[in-house]
Amino acid sequence: MGCSGCRFRVNFGKALSKVSVFFTMVLIFTYFFYCLTGFCDSAPRAAYRQETSDLDYDILDDLRPPRRLFPDAPFQRNRTGSEDAPAEPSQNTLDSEKETVQSNGIPVSNTFGTKRFPQAIIIGVKKGGTRALLEFLRIHPDVRAFGAEPHFFDRFYDKGLEWYRNLMPRTLDGQITMEKTPSYFVTKEAPSRICTMNCQTKLIVVVRDPVTRAVSDYTQTLSKNPGLPSFQSLALKNSSTGLIDTTWSAVRIGLYAKHLENWLQYFPLSQFLFVSGERLVSDPAGEMGRVQDFLGLKRVVSDKHFYFNQTKGFPCLKKPEGSSRPRCLGKSKGRPHPQIPSEVLQRLRDFYRPFNHRFYQMSGQDFGWD
């Protein structure tokens, strides 16, 4: 009988061991199943961790070619020979971009959160500081932004709103979805199209002295097309009369008051925030405070995130969590502007002065460009 009890204890121990192994294997396979479906990677990561290594400041003449939304699409060229809109993308290219674009370290392809239309859009202006502003905002844990410029409301509107929504990163409740496309501000159809999506959308416009902005715009184009005509030959209709050629995009973009008139037909002034490109350089924390207030966000981005780089002469982001170095300007920053006759610049200042004053009145802010 003692031997029977021994056999019973041995058999029971073996059975218990097999049951333990079975449940362990079930747990392991369950874990791997969730990881393979993307669930393991769906939790938000540190808010201040960024995947890119260099901050791309368009206001600061960082002239690196911007990351293309549709990498396989050939560029079209505008009047001055600058790279402009990509051709219509293939579905494979679009699907690939949607799977790889990230915001604050959260993959777009995960299953956590919801894809929403942007509640706020940076609509302008080119060479004003829009990229710097977007990168500063992406430090905030409650902001999720599409990294590239989708150009939906000016170039790909025929794709439909659902196509546009699917480009956006997934967000959690309480987070804001954003995008930036500076050419919206100067696109006649953009206000009505954005209002069709949502007339409550908040609109951010980064503006800069239009003369400096035009020179910066020209310098960027010249770096890509060395055979470009001189600045003065493009800016003036006739050198003897000194009339300004407003058909040249570098000049036309700086007519802020005219462009704003078009937007005010669809949106009240209270839905706009005008950010000073100059103050974004001289006082980034101060301007970011205004932006966060406008978006209804807690003031998270502050002085502690910036330091002034004496070598570059501009503010940079301090070393983010998980990064080996601070995030500052790209290597191509600091390209010297071409020599432009002072009388040409003065003609431009005289030309813009009434438009600037009108813009000050409309926006309720004096940017001090005169």
Side-chain angles (χ1 to χ4, degrees), residues 286-297:
E287 282 300 281
M288 289 306 300
R290 294 180 61 240
V291 175
Q292 290 170 99
D293 291 346
F294 174 71
L295 295 175
L297 298 170

Side-chain angles (χ1 to χ4, degrees), residues 47 104 139-144 173-177 297-298 300:
N104 270 356
I139 299 171
H140 202 294
D142 290 334
V143 173
R144 294 288 178 266
D173 289 342
Q175 292 180 325
I176 292 178
T177 302
L297 298 170
K298 182 180 178 181
V300 171

Side-chain angles (χ1 to χ4, degrees), residues 43-113:
R45 301 174 188 173
Y48 191 36
R49 182 172 183 172
Q50 301 289 336
E51 299 298 323
T52 55
S53 61
D54 291 318
L55 179 62
D56 187 6
Y57 292 74
D58 53 356
I59 183 176
L60 305 175
D61 294 328
D62 178 1
L63 303 180
R64 284 177 304 177
R67 185 166 69 85
R68 294 167 62 178
L69 172 57
F70 309 115
D72 298 331
F75 273 115
Q76 298 171 345
R77 293 189 174 271
N78 62 19
R79 170 180 170 240
T80 59
S82 62
E83 292 180 345
D84 201 350
E88 185 172 316
S90 66
Q91 188 59 44
N92 289 339
T93 303
L94 176 58
D95 291 343
S96 174
E97 176 68 13
K98 285 160 60 180
E99 291 300 313
T100 57
V101 173
Q102 298 184 347
S103 176
N104 270 356
I106 298 182
V108 172
S109 59
N110 69 31
T111 57
F112 203 71

Side-chain angles (χ1 to χ4, degrees), residues 8-61:
F8 174 77
R9 283 194 296 272
V10 170
N11 291 337
F12 178 78
K14 288 182 178 179
L16 185 61
S17 177
K18 288 180 180 180
V19 170
S20 298
V21 170
F22 173 77
F23 279 107
T24 300
M25 294 301 293
V26 168
L27 289 173
I28 291 173
F29 279 113
T30 302
Y31 174 79
F32 278 110
F33 172 78
Y34 277 98
C35 283
L36 289 172
T37 57
F39 187 81
C40 293
D41 197 35
S42 62
R45 301 174 188 173
Y48 191 36
R49 182 172 183 172
Q50 301 289 336
E51 299 298 323
T52 55
S53 61
D54 291 318
L55 179 62
D56 187 6
Y57 292 74
D58 53 356
I59 183 176
L60 305 175
D61 294 328

Side-chain angles (χ1 to χ4, degrees), residues 36 45 54 90 112 121 196 319 347 350 358:
L36 289 172
R45 301 174 188 173
D54 291 318
S90 66
F112 203 71
I121 302 176
T196 297
K319 186 175 73 171
R347 285 186 183 276
D350 294 340
R358 174 62 178 150

Side-chain angles (χ1 to χ4, degrees), residues 246-367:
T246 56
T247 64
W248 185 30
S249 64
V251 169
R252 189 175 63 254
I253 290 172
L255 301 174
Y256 304 143
K258 280 189 167 293
H259 303 307
L260 183 57
E261 285 174 356
N262 183 38
W263 284 86
L264 290 177
Q265 295 180 53
Y266 299 89
F267 295 91
L269 191 63
S270 59
Q271 283 176 231
F272 289 86
L273 178 69
F274 302 97
V275 176
S276 166
E278 289 84 5
R279 285 196 294 272
L280 201 58
V281 173
S282 63
D283 181 20
E287 282 300 281
M288 289 306 300
R290 294 180 61 240
V291 175
Q292 290 170 99
D293 291 346
F294 174 71
L295 295 175
L297 298 170
K298 182 180 178 181
R299 286 199 176 195
V300 171
V301 185
S302 64
D303 284 321
K304 69 180 181 180
H305 292 102
F306 302 97
Y307 77 97
F308 191 83
N309 187 303
Q310 296 292 343
T311 302
K312 295 179 180 293
F314 294 105
C316 298
L317 289 172
K318 292 181 180 178
K319 186 175 73 171
E321 179 184 340
S323 175
S324 60
R325 58 179 178 173
R327 295 182 60 223
C328 203
L329 302 178
K331 294 179 181 179
S332 59
K333 187 270 162 189
R335 192 187 304 273
H337 287 181
Q339 290 294 323
I340 298 171
S342 58
E343 60 269 20
V344 175
L345 296 177
Q346 188 58 51
R347 285 186 183 276
L348 275 174
R349 291 190 185 97
D350 294 340
F351 167 76
Y352 278 123
R353 187 169 292 109
F355 294 101
N356 289 345
H357 289 170
R358 174 62 178 150
F359 180 65
Y360 298 166
Q361 293 173 349
M362 296 173 71
S363 65
Q365 292 177 239
D366 186 338
F367 292 91

